[in-house]
Amino acid sequence: MKSPVPELRFPEFKGPWKPARAGDAFRNSKAKGEAGLPVYSVTQNRGMVRRDSLDRHMGADAADGSNLRAQPGDLVYNMMRMWQGAVGMASEECMVSPAYVVLSPRKGVSSKFFDYWFQNRHMLHQLWAYSHGLTNDRLRLYYQDFAKIPLALPDQPEQEKIAAVLDATSRKITLLTSKKTALEDYKRGLMQRLFSRELRFTRDDGSPFPAWEERKLSSLLKEHKQKSDGTEAVHSVSVVHGLIDQVAHLGRSYAAETTLHYNRVNPGDIVYTKSPTGKFPFGIIKQSQIAYSAIVSPLYGVFRPTTHQIGMFLDVYFSSESNTERFLRPLVNKGAKNTMNINNSTFLSGKVWVPVDPDEIQKIRDLFSSLDKKILCLSTEISDMEAYKKGLLQKLFV
């Protein structure tokens, strides 16, 4: 039988990868914790993180002597979620729950190499296959079963080279993600200052624009009641997290037998859901970005801005969660079982502060369009790098 080698390999390495078992690479460490050591948890997406950094409420910690101790470089996994990627490498001496398994690397084994290997799709399948339980939510991967998983091990220098390449890719993703987060934070702060009128644009000659006016939406929007004639049924849109998303009609089943009572939406219309659900106020309003006529459920309100500039302004204004919440919360009627609903007349009674000069609206629109393009560009780069890393994980391992 031919010795296994990965699809992608560095030219300086020629020898075959040695057949082995996971137990040949790691021993099960049962060292006990002690007072004063930080407590870590294992997550599926972030590896090991300090328990006090997690947003969710954590139950009471086990006594220090019941916790397990992990040394820098140890790998720790959640027995119930290992097959879903719940594994991470300890960056410092710490304690972890006794429900975890602490893997201490044997001589000649790079922990970082295996930290990445456990993200490999083939390896995740192996971790699932060696777990025991009647259903996926009851699966457990005990060390004695983990130790039986077949591996193919390269020499340590090759392990470290592979880990270094993947480290560089991970750092690039982290850097891009940090840039995107910073830009999003900057955008939110800018929105808060602009829409509170703390920060104002000036004309090109440096002179001030007129003061903003508080206006009812009924003076800015007109209710649009054009019904579907059945010819636009190829496309439907829905409001999801403040965005207009296209949903293909083909292959989708509707509760209603016909969509003739659905409302037609045209490019530039404003759409909101009358019954917001989930974390208030997600998915409430957004200017339609579609380039064709579409339809929406009668559960949505559809409005035509009085001017294109007003539509642009409201599109930017309601892309801010804080603006949307501040506007909608006083208008919401809470019904049975704490459900929320906003009828069209109530919606139009709400007030917003708006610029008087169309040129100021255009400046606001241009600013946030530019920021959105930069954020989108970073999102694309992150997606591309994640796809590249995923490809490396498939090709660099056996």
Side-chain angles (χ1 to χ4, degrees):
M1 181 176 177
K2 187 177 180 181
S3 298
V5 292
E7 178 182 345
L8 182 63
R9 201 174 190 195
F10 302 103
E12 64 267 35
F13 301 109
K14 306 295 184 183
W17 287 27
K18 302 178 183 68
R21 301 273 177 183
D24 299 325
F26 294 96
R27 64 178 181 83
N28 185 13
S29 174
K30 294 184 177 292
K32 298 300 182 181
E34 63 179 45
L37 291 176
V39 180
Y40 274 70
S41 292
V42 178
T43 67
Q44 290 179 209
N45 299 316
R46 296 161 55 195
M48 287 187 68
V49 297
R50 287 186 68 124
R51 181 171 295 183
D52 55 17
S53 72
L54 295 174
D55 293 333
R56 66 179 185 271
H57 174 72
M58 303 299 295
D61 293 340
D64 295 335
S66 298
N67 282 323
L68 297 174
R69 182 188 305 204
Q71 300 291 341
D74 284 350
L75 291 176
V76 182
Y77 74 81
N78 183 332
M79 286 191 290
M80 296 178 60
R81 294 286 179 262
M82 177 60 154
W83 62 276
Q84 294 176 313
V87 60
M89 188 174 72
S91 59
E92 62 175 329
E93 188 175 10
C94 60
M95 291 188 294
V96 296
S97 165
Y100 294 157
V101 173
V102 178
L103 301 174
S104 181
R106 299 186 188 277
K107 185 177 180 180
V109 171
S110 165
S111 296
K112 179 66 74 171
F113 170 79
F114 275 95
D115 193 25
Y116 285 115
W117 199 349
F118 292 143
Q119 300 174 35
N120 180 286
R121 184 176 58 189
H122 170 71
M123 191 60 181
L124 288 173
H125 177 75
Q126 290 283 76
L127 297 169
W128 170 83
Y130 278 78
S131 298
H132 291 282
L134 295 177
T135 59
N136 280 344
D137 62 346
R138 291 183 174 273
L139 289 179
R140 301 286 192 281
L141 181 61
Y142 298 99
Y143 174 78
Q144 59 265 34
D145 298 308
F146 167 82
K148 300 173 185 176
I149 297 176
L151 304 172
L153 280 176
D155 291 334
Q156 189 171 4
E158 189 171 0
Q159 294 178 37
E160 293 172 350
K161 182 68 176 283
I162 291 171
V165 169
L166 291 168
D167 264 348
T169 306
S170 296
R171 284 194 298 271
K172 178 67 172 177
I173 293 172
T174 300
L175 177 62
L176 290 171
T177 302
S178 296
K179 286 183 177 180
K180 178 173 174 283
T181 300
L183 195 56
E184 289 170 336
D185 289 343
Y186 173 72
K187 177 186 172 182
R188 278 191 291 270
L190 205 54
M191 277 186 162
Q192 183 175 354
R193 296 183 66 196
L194 277 170
F195 292 121
S196 66
R197 302 178 303 288
E198 174 189 342
L199 180 67
R200 293 287 307 278
F201 280 99
T202 59
R203 300 182 192 276
D204 292 340
D205 62 6
S207 61
F209 282 110
W212 290 23
E213 295 180 351
E214 188 178 31
R215 303 273 296 276
K216 280 189 176 182
L217 277 194
S218 57
S219 68
L220 306 175
L221 299 174
K222 300 301 178 184
E223 190 172 355
H224 186 40
K225 295 183 178 180
Q226 187 176 9
K227 297 297 182 182
S228 167
D229 60 9
T231 61
E232 324 90 328
V234 174
H235 299 290
S236 174
V237 295
S238 60
V239 179
V240 180
H241 295 297
L243 302 174
I244 290 292
D245 288 346
Q246 175 185 338
V247 180
H249 181 77
L250 297 177
R252 175 177 175 179
S253 61
Y254 290 87
E257 294 182 2
T258 176
T259 58
L260 289 177
H261 63 295
Y262 276 43
N263 295 319
R264 180 182 290 186
V265 181
N266 294 308
D269 285 350
I270 295 289
V271 181
Y272 83 102
T273 177
K274 300 176 186 178
S275 300
T277 59
K279 184 179 178 181
F280 191 89
F282 283 1
I284 306 299
I285 183 170
K286 184 72 176 176
Q287 183 179 5
S288 173
Q289 302 298 318
I290 57 176
Y292 44 77
S293 291
I295 57 174
V296 291
S297 162
L299 295 175
Y300 294 117
V302 182
F303 301 91
R304 180 71 48 80
T306 54
T307 68
H308 177 64
Q309 286 80 10
I310 287 297
M312 289 194 305
F313 174 78
L314 292 177
D315 183 31
V316 175
Y317 183 88
F318 285 111
S319 68
S320 164
E321 294 172 20
S322 59
N323 286 343
T324 307
E325 181 171 4
R326 185 165 51 249
F327 173 83
L328 289 176
R329 189 173 290 281
L331 307 180
V332 170
N333 295 315
K334 291 188 177 181
K337 297 182 180 179
N338 211 34
T339 57
M340 297 184 290
N341 61 84
I342 309 170
N343 60 41
N344 287 351
S345 60
T346 302
F347 175 75
L348 289 174
S349 70
K351 296 179 179 180
V352 295
W353 286 89
V354 297
V356 173
D357 195 310
D359 288 342
E360 186 173 8
I361 292 177
Q362 189 63 52
K363 285 179 179 287
I364 292 172
R365 174 73 174 195
D366 290 346
L367 170 64
F368 289 109
S369 291
S370 174
L371 288 174
D372 286 340
K373 287 178 181 177
K374 292 177 181 178
I375 291 170
L376 178 60
C377 182
L378 286 169
S379 295
T380 302
E381 285 189 71
I382 292 169
S383 296
D384 290 346
M385 286 302 298
E386 287 175 337
Y388 175 68
K389 178 183 175 181
K390 185 177 179 180
L392 287 178
L393 286 170
Q394 300 303 318
K395 294 179 179 180
L396 286 172
F397 295 102
V398 172

